Amino acid sequence: MALTRREALASINAVGGEQAAKAALAALGLGPSTHLQYQKLDYHDQTGKGAKVLILGAGIAGLVAAFELKRAGFQVRILEARQRVGGRNWTLRHGDRVDYLDGRSQTAQFAPGLYFNAGPARLPSQHRTILDYCSQLGVPLEVLVNTSHSAQLRPDLQQPAFSVRQALNDTRGHLAGLLATAINRDALDDQLSAEERGRLLTFLQSYGDLSAELVYEGSLRAGHGIAAPAPGSLPAFGAPVALERLLHPELWGALLHTEYPEFSATMLQPVGGMDRIAAAFEQRLRDELQFGAVVRQLRQSGEGVSVTYDDAASGESCVERADYLISTVPLPLLARLDTDFGEPFKAALHSTRNDQATKVAWEAPRFWEQNDRIYGGLSWLEHSARLLWYPSNELNSPKGLLVAGYVTGEGAGEFGRQPLREQYAASAEAVELLHPGQAQSLRNPLAVSWEQVAYSEGPWLQREHFAAQAHALLEQPQGRIYLASDGLGQNGIGIWQESAANAARRAVGQLADQVIRQRHTALAS
């Protein structure tokens, strides 16, 4: 039940408070978890005066950069190696292919109407930039349920699963009871006045749902003590989960991940799939897009930039020239291109490494809703597949898209290298461990290991291979070339579309300001 890097950091903060979080972040080589500051862009629609800008990549960063530059009067050209927009914003539907660098291939066979967000799948409500673009572009949103108290936890496979509801309330009750006992034994008298002591005991009795004797014996909040449940309701539980089971080291990250702001309510998703965002940008940038353009070389001079690329349609090598360039190519891939960057800049690029991540999805009848009353949210278990992620859309419809495996961090590379049948088998086993008898109802599996996807080769950067000095250097313009790429966003980790959008806006601001300064200098002379 290991956590993603993001969820682990969230848990550190939730468990240990601000100082513990800072210490743990420092030990991981991270600074404070901060967002790239929102870059206000209010340039006149003639700021660019037709200056030409090449943009490498039509992921979210590239699309945002092109959209803003076009609004500011620049002439824009986007070179995209794929035959689609979105980059890692990739939603798979019936008939879509997943071709791996190692030759493995899959075709999505989901029923019509089902879709799989293989990349980003959540929009936190505080991600103002990407949500503002959804509003501007008319992308309809719906609520995404990121946590369900009916979801299941199984941190020890030798023990039966229990619900998130039980875990949260039984833990609260046990700890409240322990603290109440300590107070009654005068353990805190040197820190509490008599009045404070009384108030705290009253609070603990309510907080933990303790008995009159200040002992935790179970709680209706956790499903205990319901003598005769109504037909069709969830089962009652006779006794609380034992404290020793709740202290399992693999449990608390799962329980506390929604305490981290970016995983807390309210979360959102585009109606119909995450790629609706990319599609809305594409509608406004059709004339600027060129697909199948695989970049090989970058060069620049005092007059402009040139890009050599292979055109998949014609099979020819082509050269495109412009006044400026914004690259959104993932940094480890950019490091492999033939460029004329200076050696320190090249060294910073070569210091970056992609991480690994795999998602496995199935089409299935909605047994989690029908049998367990789980509507959205995640279940966790100590297993190679890590978790089950239930859909929040089309509730109570006959079928749904169940993500039964989201493997990141330690072990993700090994999982992604397994034969597809073994990945499917592991995923189905995880479903069976949490929903006995239901693995047989799973249909049409599809796995996406991002390190095997061409032109991405990973889901995000490994932070431990991205020093602060390299990050700072790569954010600076190199002559007429600017980067708005993976990792040049939130805390240098580039794991959210918000990070990509804000990195693009920063690059656009740098470029536009440079154009304005040059124009003023020319006028003054």
Side-chain angles (χ1 to χ4, degrees):
M1 200 165 64
L3 298 179
T4 66
R5 181 179 186 78
R6 290 163 282 175
E7 292 152 343
L9 295 178
S11 303
I12 289 168
N13 189 62
V15 173
E18 182 179 1
Q19 294 306 315
K22 287 181 178 178
L25 289 167
L28 288 169
L30 299 174
S33 180
T34 58
H35 296 281
L36 185 68
Q37 186 172 353
Y38 182 84
Q39 172 75 44
K40 185 177 181 180
L41 299 175
D42 54 1
Y43 299 106
H44 189 272
D45 61 5
Q46 291 302 309
T47 297
K49 289 190 175 180
K52 184 176 179 181
V53 184
L54 282 176
I55 296 174
L56 306 186
I60 292 299
L63 294 170
V64 168
F67 182 75
E68 293 297 345
L69 287 169
K70 186 178 178 181
R71 290 208 294 192
F74 289 87
Q75 180 186 350
V76 178
R77 185 72 168 162
I78 309 170
L79 301 180
E80 168 55 53
R82 299 176 172 91
Q83 297 296 331
R84 62 172 179 84
V85 298
R88 295 182 180 98
N89 178 322
W90 192 20
T91 302
L92 293 159
R93 300 177 179 82
H94 181 85
D96 290 337
R97 286 176 57 90
V98 178
D99 294 320
Y100 280 174
L101 292 169
D102 65 6
R104 288 179 290 172
S105 182
Q106 305 163 83
T107 300
Q109 299 294 336
F110 308 133
L114 297 183
Y115 60 85
F116 172 29
N117 289 321
R122 295 176 275 205
L123 297 174
S125 55
Q126 67 270 41
H127 281 191
R128 59 175 290 186
T129 306
I130 199 69
L131 290 176
D132 282 353
Y133 281 120
C134 288
S135 178
Q136 290 178 47
L137 300 172
V139 178
L141 303 176
E142 61 188 359
V143 171
L144 179 143
V145 181
N146 199 40
T147 183
S148 167
H149 283 198
S150 297
Q152 298 292 299
L153 300 167
R154 196 168 180 182
D156 183 349
L157 297 184
Q158 304 306 311
Q159 300 280 348
F162 48 89
S163 69
V164 172
R165 179 180 294 104
Q166 290 175 275
L168 288 172
N169 288 288
D170 287 349
T171 301
R172 182 184 297 166
H174 286 309
L175 296 183
L178 288 173
L179 184 53
T181 298
I183 293 171
N184 279 331
R185 290 177 179 173
D186 302 329
L188 299 179
D189 276 4
D190 59 338
Q191 301 179 47
L192 300 172
S193 66
E195 181 179 359
E196 290 169 335
R197 178 177 179 274
R199 287 181 178 179
L200 182 54
L201 286 172
T202 300
F203 166 75
L204 290 172
Q205 184 173 24
S206 175
Y207 180 73
D209 201 8
L210 305 181
S211 68
E213 293 75 27
L214 299 179
V215 175
Y216 183 63
E217 299 173 344
S219 171
L220 287 173
R221 303 170 189 168
H224 306 128
I226 304 174
S233 66
L234 294 174
F237 303 99
V241 177
L243 180 59
E244 55 266 28
R245 292 191 66 197
L246 296 171
L247 295 179
H248 193 285
E250 297 292 344
L251 176 64
W252 284 100
L255 286 178
L256 293 173
H257 79 287
T258 55
E259 297 302 311
Y260 191 57
E262 283 180 313
F263 291 93
S264 61
T266 301
M267 300 199 78
L268 304 161
Q269 63 183 4
V271 176
M274 190 61 73
D275 65 346
R276 300 304 194 207
I277 299 175
F281 277 111
E282 183 180 14
Q283 288 180 0
R284 290 154 178 82
L285 296 167
R286 291 189 188 279
D287 293 339
E288 288 73 30
L289 279 159
Q290 179 171 342
F291 296 112
V294 181
V295 173
R296 301 300 183 192
Q297 183 187 79
L298 307 183
R299 291 289 185 268
Q300 66 173 311
S301 66
E303 288 71 42
V305 298
S306 65
V307 174
T308 302
Y309 66 93
D310 296 338
D311 184 355
S314 66
E316 297 179 351
S317 178
C318 305
V319 177
E320 186 90 22
R321 292 180 172 83
D323 300 299
Y324 302 93
L325 181 144
I326 294 179
S327 173
T328 71
V329 175
L331 299 179
L333 277 63
L334 181 60
R336 301 205 299 255
L337 296 183
D338 178 4
T339 67
D340 56 0
F341 294 132
E343 289 307 315
F345 197 82
K346 285 185 176 180
L349 286 173
H350 281 287
S351 72
T352 62
R353 301 287 185 277
N354 272 327
D355 215 330
Q356 299 87 38
T358 296
K359 281 185 180 179
V360 184
W362 299 82
E363 174 186 329
R366 292 177 177 253
F367 55 80
W368 53 91
E369 295 174 359
Q370 298 158 6
N371 300 338
D372 303 296
R373 300 299 186 260
I374 299 173
Y375 296 92
L378 296 92
S379 288
W380 307 77
L381 72 167
E382 181 57 20
H383 185 271
S384 62
R386 310 283 171 85
L387 59 81
L388 273 61
W389 189 344
Y390 308 98
S392 299
N393 63 309
E394 304 292 339
L395 302 178
N396 277 339
S397 58
K399 295 180 179 180
L401 197 290
L402 175 66
V403 175
Y406 185 13
V407 187
T408 65
E410 185 178 357
E414 179 182 355
F415 188 93
R417 287 188 294 271
Q418 292 178 352
L420 291 169
R421 64 180 181 278
E422 293 184 17
Q423 295 181 31
Y424 301 157
S427 173
E429 182 180 58
V431 171
E432 190 68 15
L433 286 167
L434 290 176
H435 300 280
Q438 295 301 332
Q440 62 185 355
S441 68
L442 302 173
R443 297 289 184 273
N444 301 324
L446 188 71
V448 174
S449 296
W450 278 99
E451 59 273 19
Q452 287 289 340
V453 176
Y455 312 119
S456 292
E457 299 189 24
W460 49 76
L461 290 183
Q462 294 179 1
R463 185 61 180 86
E464 57 270 26
H465 292 286
F466 198 7
Q469 297 90 333
H471 179 241
L473 177 58
L474 294 174
E475 283 192 331
Q476 299 306 310
Q478 298 299 298
R480 292 173 173 266
I481 297 178
Y482 303 77
L483 304 190
S485 187
D486 174 55
L488 299 179
Q490 174 195 347
N491 203 28
I493 306 179
I495 53 178
W496 294 98
Q497 294 178 101
E498 180 81 354
S499 304
N502 279 336
R505 292 170 68 88
R506 185 207 66 245
V508 168
Q510 290 174 325
L511 193 159
D513 289 347
Q514 178 66 12
V515 168
I516 292 170
R517 285 195 299 270
Q518 290 176 344
R519 189 171 299 141
H520 287 169
T521 300
L523 290 173
S525 62

